Amino acid sequence: MPPRLRPRTSLLPSRPPPTARPQCLLLRPSPSHRQFSQSTPHYEKATRMRRNMYKWINGPGKVFLEPLPGSTNYMSAYDRDGNLLRARKGGEGDGASGAGEAKPLEEGKQAEDSEPAKSAEEELESLDEAAVAKKEEDAEKLKAAQIMNLPPESKQDLQPFPLNGQFVSQPVLSEELREAIWKRVMKDGVSLPTVSVEFGVSNERVGAVVRLMQMEKEWIAQGTPLVKPYAQAVMAMLPKTPYVAKGENKRPVNHESINDLIVHPATKQQLFVPVSESRHFTREDAAKAFHHTLLSADDRIPHPELVVSEREAQLGLSNSERIAAASARMLAERQRKAEKEAKRKEWEAKTITRVPGRRWDFVFQDISVESVGKDGRSEKGVGWRYGIPHEDRKRGQVKIPTKVDG
């Protein structure tokens, strides 16, 4: 094995050893041994997405920092430059007024330039609190005037998600409208159907508003704190149905359709009803075909009195006559309901035995087996309230009509 070569010794003088640095100097950490919390060496250069985000926040996103009052302020209502889309329609005729105001503004500017320059201290002394308040008041009036000149929100403005054009935010009842509904029912003693027709709100929603408002009144009386800021923030992001008082010469805004027909379970079955050509098949006949106790569509809607009032108007009755007839029908309906409730209570007192307990009351009622009827499907029988499936699609049932009623 050949011998190894020895390294050549340098003839130059050796470099003196480095002097010890003072311990007070901070050593820079090596890039290869950086801590986990530190960013990359190029942390000063933001990424493209981050730059776009800050560009949007400092540009078009500034309109969301101070949202427009009385508007939902969804992103779909603004363009990419932060301009309100519906403001273009309302501001088309503002060009003439802007041209007329430009000349006085330039004249005022020339007058200011001709005045001698004042020091900053003199300008601060000249501005008192009254002038500042007046300036703020004028700015608020100008902003309110601009808001009043805006057209109402369109369907595009009520889309909170720009990529989902099918979803449209539905309006909710405003605080003033809910307070008016509660006052009409609890203070004035008006019935729920009348309040529903008056404000254009369904019967179910009127009842829910009255219950929730009554609960809120009780909480306030008990001293329970309410989360008002949260409610105000949520209400500011949703479209609202305003309250129109009677003194204003405006029609009340209908919140929803109040006369929609609810699907009855008896109408969910498949029927074949033969009818002769000479017979006039009405809605009453269609209801009896489904069930012998089912009312027609005109009687099952939430407000059948509206149909009757419209028919009376087509017959030529005056407004005063229709109001008098509606009042008489309402009074008769109240008496009928009161008599029906009295009979029900009298029947319960005779047939139901109530045994009071320590925590609950036990109720006993005599039931007859014969109450189910011949086919066992009578509504008077036990278990009928739990539901019985229809037999229209059951195998072996005769579905073809066997006779024709004349």
Side-chain angles (χ1 to χ4, degrees):
M1 184 174 182
R4 296 181 177 178
L5 298 176
R6 294 181 180 180
R8 183 179 298 179
T9 57
S10 176
L11 300 178
L12 298 176
S14 61
R15 182 180 299 177
T19 58
R21 297 183 179 180
Q23 296 181 359
C24 61
L25 297 178
L26 297 178
L27 299 178
R28 296 182 179 179
S30 176
S32 60
H33 298 286
R34 64 184 180 90
Q35 297 180 2
F36 179 76
S37 60
Q38 291 179 347
S39 58
T40 58
H42 305 284
Y43 63 93
E44 295 181 358
K45 298 181 180 179
T47 59
R48 181 179 60 182
M49 297 178 63
R50 188 178 300 177
R51 287 196 305 269
N52 294 338
M53 181 187 70
Y54 284 110
K55 182 180 179 181
W56 182 85
I57 291 176
N58 298 324
K62 279 189 175 181
V63 297
F64 301 100
L65 182 62
E66 296 180 359
L68 188 66
S71 178
T72 53
N73 296 291
Y74 294 150
M75 294 183 63
S76 302
Y78 297 87
D79 59 5
R80 294 190 176 184
D81 298 331
N83 300 320
L84 191 62
L85 295 178
R86 70 175 184 272
R88 299 176 181 176
K89 301 178 182 179
E92 289 178 354
D94 296 343
S97 61
E101 294 175 358
K103 188 175 181 180
L105 184 62
E106 292 177 358
E107 293 177 357
K109 188 175 181 181
Q110 292 176 2
E112 290 179 0
D113 295 340
S114 61
E115 294 179 358
K118 297 181 180 180
S119 62
E121 296 180 357
E122 293 178 355
E123 291 181 358
L124 291 176
E125 291 177 358
S126 62
L127 292 176
D128 53 354
E129 296 180 358
V132 174
K134 185 68 169 57
K135 186 176 181 181
E136 294 178 354
E137 185 179 356
D138 294 342
E140 292 179 358
K141 288 183 179 180
L142 179 60
K143 190 173 183 180
Q146 293 176 353
I147 296 173
M148 292 297 293
N149 293 331
L150 289 177
E153 293 179 328
S154 61
K155 184 178 179 181
Q156 182 182 2
D157 299 331
L158 299 179
Q159 296 175 358
F161 310 109
L163 300 181
N164 187 5
Q166 302 298 326
F167 181 82
V168 179
S169 183
Q170 299 298 324
V172 297
L173 300 178
S174 61
E175 293 286 348
E176 297 80 7
L177 184 54
R178 283 185 284 178
E179 186 70 24
I181 291 174
W182 176 84
K183 184 178 179 181
R184 289 287 288 166
V185 175
M186 301 302 295
K187 297 292 184 180
D188 302 339
V190 184
S191 62
L192 294 184
T194 306
V195 176
S196 174
V197 175
E198 180 180 351
F199 294 103
V201 184
S202 63
N203 293 332
E204 296 80 7
R205 198 177 303 277
V206 170
V209 167
V210 172
R211 287 192 295 268
L212 293 176
M213 290 296 295
Q214 186 65 24
M215 185 182 300
E216 182 179 350
K217 304 285 184 187
E218 293 176 358
W219 284 359
I220 294 175
Q222 297 173 2
T224 305
L226 303 179
V227 192
K228 286 292 186 180
Y230 174 76
Q232 293 174 359
V234 173
M235 291 293 289
M237 293 186 293
L238 296 174
K240 295 175 285 294
T241 302
Y243 167 61
V244 180
K246 290 185 177 180
E248 303 178 9
N249 295 327
K250 297 180 181 179
R251 296 186 61 183
V253 180
N254 292 330
H255 179 71
E256 56 193 343
S257 178
I258 62 175
N259 232 8
D260 291 340
L261 182 63
I262 301 175
V263 180
H264 196 276
T267 61
K268 295 182 179 180
Q269 56 181 323
Q270 185 180 17
L271 293 178
F272 293 93
V273 182
V275 180
S276 60
E277 296 181 0
S278 60
R279 181 184 174 186
H280 184 62
F281 196 78
T282 61
R283 294 180 179 178
E284 287 79 6
D285 298 333
K288 298 303 179 183
F290 283 109
H291 198 272
H292 64 280
T293 60
L294 183 64
L295 300 177
S296 63
D298 294 340
D299 298 331
R300 287 191 296 112
I301 57 178
H303 299 282
E305 66 275 3
L306 297 180
V307 178
V308 178
S309 178
E310 186 64 25
R311 289 175 178 174
E312 291 176 352
Q314 292 182 0
L315 292 176
L317 297 179
S318 61
N319 191 17
S320 59
E321 294 176 350
R322 284 186 292 158
I323 292 176
S327 302
R329 286 193 299 269
M330 189 178 300
L331 183 60
E333 183 68 18
R334 288 182 181 177
Q335 292 178 356
R336 187 187 66 82
K337 288 184 178 180
E339 293 176 359
K340 185 177 180 181
E341 185 68 18
K343 289 181 180 180
R344 187 187 65 83
K345 291 182 179 180
E346 183 180 358
W347 176 82
E348 288 183 355
K350 291 181 180 180
T351 59
I352 294 179
T353 304
R354 189 179 300 272
V355 180
R358 191 174 63 179
R359 298 182 62 184
W360 300 282
D361 293 344
F362 296 91
V363 180
F364 299 93
Q365 181 181 359
D366 295 335
I367 298 297
S368 176
V369 181
E370 304 296 335
S371 60
V372 295
K374 295 181 180 180
D375 56 354
R377 301 176 67 88
S378 176
E379 63 271 11
K380 299 180 181 179
V382 181
W384 177 84
R385 60 189 176 131
Y386 298 105
I388 300 177
H390 296 293
E391 297 183 355
D392 57 334
R393 299 181 183 275
K394 188 176 180 180
R395 180 177 297 179
Q397 295 292 327
V398 179
K399 306 170 187 175
I400 303 176
T402 57
K403 63 178 181 177
V404 178
D405 296 334

